Amino acid sequence: MTTATTPSPEPAATLASGAPVAELEHVDLVFKRRGAEPFQAITDLSLRIEPGTVFCLLGPNGSGKTTVINLLSGLLGPTDGRVRVLGMDPSRERSRLLRRIALAPQETALYADLTGRENLEFHAAYYGVPRASARRRIDTVLELVSLTERAGHRVGTFSGGMQRRLTLARALLTEPDLLFLDEPTLGVDVQSRESIWDRVRGLAAEGRSVLLTTNYMEEAERLGQRVCIIDRGRRVVTGTPDELKALTRRRRLELTYASAEAAEAAEPLLRDGYQVGAHAHQLLVEVPEDADHVAFVRSALDRLDGGPTLVGFRFSEPGLQDVFLHFTGRDLRD
Amino acid sequence: MWSAIRAMVRKDLTLSRRSPVFVVITVLVPLVFVSLYALLVTVSTTSPVAVAQEGGGPHSERLLQILRTMHNTDGELFEIRTTDPGDARAMFAAGEVGAVLTIPADFDDRVSAGVPVEVPLRVYNINADGTKNFELRAEGAVREFARDTGGGVPVTAVRENSHFREDMGTSAYLGTALLVFAVLYASMVNTGTLVAREWEDRTAKPLVLSPVGNAPLLGGKWLSAGVQTLAGTVLVLAGLAWLLDFPALSLGAASWLGLFVLFAYGSALGTLLGVTLRRSLPLVPLCVVLAIVHFFLSGYESYLRGFAHGGAVEWLWASTHWWPTAGLTQDLRLDATGLGDGGTDWAALGGTAGIAALLTLLAVVRMRRQLRFTQGQ
């Protein structure tokens, strides 16, 4: 899908200059339930989403990403701290706020026994989209997500990727100023993922603001103008992808073997004196910041001499995975 | 808001049409119940019996004639399968009849001479309604015979307390209770599953995040459930009329108002169950249990009375006198049979509506609390 030739919904409403579209200030959220220990879901979280940007919340499962969306949409109220969205307090002005935001939830929330078009028609009517413009908007958003031809089929027959695209189309029906995309590419094929990414970029280009949650580093790196890494309900670090990567200048030496077994057999040879880990058919060796790269490679290869045959090696630049590891001491996939 | 409610109703009815399992369940269970009771009513009305007619005089023929023609408002009391003594005992032994009544060979002689005579009745030793029916009806036949002949046979006096100013047929008595059962069950299951399935299918979040609030969600569900319940009720009424001769067409405006209030009561219960359980699988059997309890409370008073000698059954029987749906059912019953004075039990109607409102309020509070913990799902 390309964004250059596809029609777009009406432009987003103008926001007050300089004001963030959404803001959390030192927010705590504690779930208390009778007979159970209180659960601190969010701790001292602050973030700020600027107008017309894609803001990514990156974190592992259970880190609190969806909870942040629920706070911003007024579904949850903070235990402590302040939440403002489009200049409103979501807890007090929920109904007014909900007219200007939209959510594409993680679980798609589509009716499998309705067709794609019927799902959109229901949503448009339920959200009060005027009947006169509903049909036009439905046609537009279906075209935006390249589902016009399948619109008459039941959603139960759609692939996971098509369902995600339809969820995105549904969220766009109300032409929101701020869009929440909760893990929009979870479990979709590469083609659908690229299509969704194109559409998200298009939204930002139209001046809409997007909060996107993900646990895919590549998604955050490619879409996020700002990325906030979140873990166990706490903000780890926030910045542009480049700023975050600059925080850790750690490079890695990737040694590639023919098989995972070969990589595993070679690993003990480097264990003494190197920070090394095996990942599939590769050994990943941390390169100290002050190391002479040539000497480092030569020394490592000397150690591996006599072990399984090495297929190749290369240095890799740090990614958000490394940033997460750097700040939490854990792998994002853990 | 009306546009949202209309959208919800259109969506739910389309989904129910395309995936009708729950709608079928709401019709099937009451229909099976109706069929079961149609069978029971027939059995309790007309008892198949064998008569061993050992003598052949005019007195024994007269007693036989009385047995043949005894009837109540539901129909004949006895279906005499045979009068041959050998066949009669063989049929009883084979279980083809529930009782055998013997008219002894010296019956005519003794009656003519004014000497008391025994008319033995053999029944299966089971403490069931059928057994009691045989005993009571045989006694009745002997009493009637004794009256005809001007004495000579001992008569057992039977005293009866009437609940109605006229005897009411079992079909109308139970038929009304079955109708109440059907409306309550259908409204509970329809509303409950329509609500629960939004959470079960994980489609609730966009609904609770709609700027129109929660009212169209519940209002839409009630209207959709109302359409489905009305369709189910019409089918059950047709079944009642066909199988039990229930006077379905006699129901007046007050009865339909009562049925509407019962629908609201059932829907409120269903909504509360739906938002609490958020699963249709446990919801359906719970609705069955609740509907049966209400069936006992609302339509089984005369049957419960026989067992109400203490404990939970007595409490249950006593509650039929004050639980509002029982009064509402009684109104329906009197309207259907034309035995009432045309008045409406406004206390029962208001009480049922009041409980429905309270249950709905509880459901809304419960839903709001749940949303916080489930974050919309």
Side-chain angles (χ1 to χ4, degrees):
Chain A
M1 194 188 100
T2 59
T3 54
T5 55
T6 50
S8 65
E10 290 161 18
T14 309
L15 297 165
S17 173
V21 286
E23 195 173 20
L24 295 182
E25 282 181 12
H26 304 291
V27 166
D28 285 329
L29 177 66
V30 181
F31 289 115
K32 291 175 189 161
R33 211 163 193 182
R34 206 182 305 151
E37 284 288 306
F39 172 67
Q40 178 109 22
I42 299 290
T43 306
D44 193 27
L45 183 67
S46 296
L47 56 87
R48 185 183 158 97
I49 303 173
E50 301 300 335
T53 61
V54 178
F55 187 98
C56 281
L57 262 184
L58 175 69
N61 291 335
S63 58
K65 303 186 294 294
T66 303
T67 304
V68 169
I69 288 182
N70 291 334
L71 280 164
L72 291 170
S73 58
L75 202 52
L76 294 172
T79 309
D80 201 7
R82 181 170 172 269
V83 181
R84 300 290 290 177
V85 181
L86 297 167
M88 290 175 262
D89 178 343
S91 303
R92 293 169 190 272
E93 299 162 277
R94 187 156 176 255
S95 178
R96 204 157 68 88
L97 173 66
L98 289 175
R99 292 183 194 283
R100 295 181 58 193
I101 63 173
L103 165 69
Q106 202 180 116
E107 53 280 327
T108 73
L110 296 164
Y111 297 98
D113 283 327
L114 295 185
T115 66
R117 181 175 289 279
E118 284 170 340
N119 266 283
L120 297 181
E121 283 170 350
F122 165 67
H123 192 80
Y126 200 79
Y127 271 64
V129 176
R131 209 184 252 185
S133 57
R135 177 180 282 271
R136 179 181 53 79
R137 285 201 207 174
I138 289 169
D139 288 340
T140 303
V141 294
L142 279 170
E143 203 173 333
L144 279 174
V145 297
S146 308
L147 281 175
T148 305
E149 284 177 17
R150 291 297 303 271
H153 292 79
R154 289 197 192 178
V155 166
T157 65
F158 283 18
S159 68
M162 289 164 73
Q163 292 193 20
R164 291 266 164 209
R165 276 148 55 199
L166 187 63
T167 306
L168 179 60
R170 184 182 59 189
L172 294 174
L173 264 181
T174 53
E175 301 176 343
D177 294 328
L178 174 60
L179 184 64
F180 300 130
L181 302 179
D182 198 1
E183 309 214 12
T185 59
L186 187 70
V188 306
D189 55 81
V190 176
Q191 205 175 3
S192 285
R193 192 180 63 179
E194 291 289 348
S195 165
I196 290 170
W197 285 359
D198 276 351
R199 193 56 240 143
V200 173
R201 285 192 202 99
L203 289 170
E206 288 159 12
R208 296 191 195 282
S209 312
V210 178
L211 169 64
L212 183 148
T213 73
T214 183
N215 53 18
Y216 298 137
M217 292 159 290
E218 188 189 357
E219 189 162 82
E221 279 190 66
R222 288 179 59 176
L223 292 180
Q225 279 139 310
R226 288 185 73 76
V227 175
C228 172
I229 295 181
I230 182 173
D231 184 38
R232 292 170 180 161
R234 292 172 189 271
R235 184 177 69 95
V236 175
V237 64
T238 308
T240 65
D242 286 340
E243 283 170 352
L244 295 184
K245 284 185 283 187
L247 291 173
T248 169
R249 280 171 290 178
R250 188 179 295 179
R251 291 181 125 199
R252 279 194 306 204
L253 174 62
E254 290 180 7
L255 302 161
T256 304
Y257 285 87
S259 67
E261 291 75 23
E264 208 172 305
E267 196 227 338
L269 301 172
L270 290 176
R271 212 173 268 165
D272 185 23
Y274 292 86
Q275 266 192 288
V276 62
H279 185 253
H281 61 294
Q282 285 186 324
L283 288 183
L284 307 174
V285 189
E286 299 293 339
V287 182
E289 283 181 25
D290 54 353
D292 175 333
H293 287 184
V294 176
F296 186 83
V297 172
R298 187 176 293 152
S299 156
L301 293 180
D302 282 348
R303 287 275 197 96
L304 294 169
D305 197 21
T309 307
L310 190 62
V311 176
F313 67 88
R314 73 180 184 105
F315 283 103
S316 65
E317 293 299 321
L320 293 179
Q321 170 74 35
D322 303 285
V323 179
F324 188 84
L325 189 68
H326 177 77
F327 283 100
T328 67
R330 294 191 300 126
D331 195 298
L332 194 56
R333 285 179 294 263
D334 286 349
Chain B
M1 188 170 90
W2 284 110
S3 136
I5 290 178
R6 268 201 311 274
M8 177 64 78
V9 173
R10 198 162 46 239
K11 184 267 291 178
D12 280 341
L13 293 180
T14 305
L15 287 175
S16 295
R17 187 162 45 81
R18 290 180 186 166
S19 181
V21 175
F22 287 106
V23 181
V24 171
I25 287 174
T26 62
V27 177
L28 268 187
V29 172
L31 275 183
V32 168
F33 223 58
V34 168
S35 307
L36 175 70
Y37 270 89
L39 183 70
L40 289 181
V41 166
T42 309
V43 167
S44 63
T45 299
T46 309
S47 312
V49 68
V51 176
Q53 190 184 10
E54 292 174 337
H59 290 304
S60 63
E61 281 300 332
R62 174 65 193 140
L63 178 59
L64 201 58
Q65 181 64 15
I66 289 170
L67 289 168
R68 279 203 174 104
T69 55
M70 283 178 80
H71 69 278
N72 63 13
T73 47
D74 288 309
E76 307 296 325
L77 295 188
F78 287 115
E79 183 200 342
I80 298 173
R81 296 275 175 90
T82 182
T83 54
D84 179 80
D87 286 349
R89 290 184 185 110
M91 287 177 85
F92 181 73
E96 290 174 38
V97 289
V100 60
L101 183 80
T102 302
I103 303 176
D106 58 353
F107 183 80
D108 279 76
D109 292 342
R110 281 177 167 259
V111 171
S112 297
V115 179
V117 59
E118 258 187 18
V119 182
L121 176 74
R122 287 183 66 195
V123 292
Y124 288 106
N125 189 24
I126 299 169
N127 184 25
D129 278 359
T131 306
K132 284 181 277 184
N133 278 348
F134 282 124
E135 291 168 352
L136 292 170
R137 290 168 182 185
E139 279 180 18
V142 169
R143 264 201 316 279
E144 191 176 333
F145 177 79
R147 262 201 314 274
D148 279 0
T149 55
V153 179
V155 174
T156 306
V158 176
R159 191 181 298 275
E160 184 179 296
N161 289 320
S162 292
H163 191 60
F164 304 102
R165 63 181 163 84
E166 289 176 43
D167 282 351
M168 180 182 283
T170 316
S171 56
Y173 183 85
L174 275 180
T176 311
L178 289 168
L179 177 63
V180 167
F181 171 83
V183 171
L184 274 179
Y185 174 73
S187 53
M188 273 192 287
V189 171
N190 282 325
T191 314
T193 52
L194 284 174
V195 170
R197 284 177 67 185
E198 294 289 0
W199 273 270
E200 198 167 49
D201 297 344
R202 304 184 75 78
T203 48
K205 201 161 188 174
L207 302 181
V208 299
L209 283 177
S210 163
V212 292
N214 294 330
L217 171 60
L218 295 184
K221 296 297 174 195
W222 274 48
L223 268 180
S224 306
V227 173
Q228 292 175 185
T229 303
L230 181 65
T233 303
V234 169
L235 279 175
V236 167
L237 268 174
L240 284 169
W242 182 46
L243 294 167
L244 288 177
D245 279 335
F246 183 78
L249 296 176
S250 304
L251 294 176
S255 289
W256 284 102
L257 174 65
L259 288 175
F260 174 76
V261 171
L262 273 174
F263 160 75
Y265 176 83
S267 286
L269 270 171
T271 308
L272 185 58
L273 287 174
V275 298
T276 305
L277 298 170
R278 290 176 293 136
R279 293 278 179 277
S280 40
L281 195 63
L283 186 140
V284 175
L286 259 176
C287 290
V288 173
V289 171
L290 281 172
I292 288 175
V293 168
H294 280 81
F295 175 74
F296 283 133
L297 281 178
S298 308
Y300 222 59
E301 183 267 337
S302 73
Y303 291 81
L304 279 177
R305 186 186 291 160
F307 303 101
H309 305 296
V313 179
E314 184 160 351
W315 184 88
L316 194 65
W317 175 69
S319 62
T320 63
H321 294 92
W322 55 264
W323 191 248
T325 58
L328 215 152
T329 309
Q330 184 71 344
D331 260 9
L332 281 170
R333 193 175 278 142
L334 294 174
D335 187 34
T337 55
L339 294 176
D341 55 7
T344 301
D345 186 347
W346 291 107
L349 205 65
T352 308
I355 295 172
L358 186 68
L359 289 170
T360 308
L361 187 68
L362 276 175
V364 170
V365 171
R366 180 80 193 167
M367 186 169 81
R368 286 189 172 168
R369 271 177 60 87
Q370 289 272 34
L371 287 177
R372 178 171 167 79
F373 293 109
T374 60
Q375 305 196 28
Q377 284 295 2

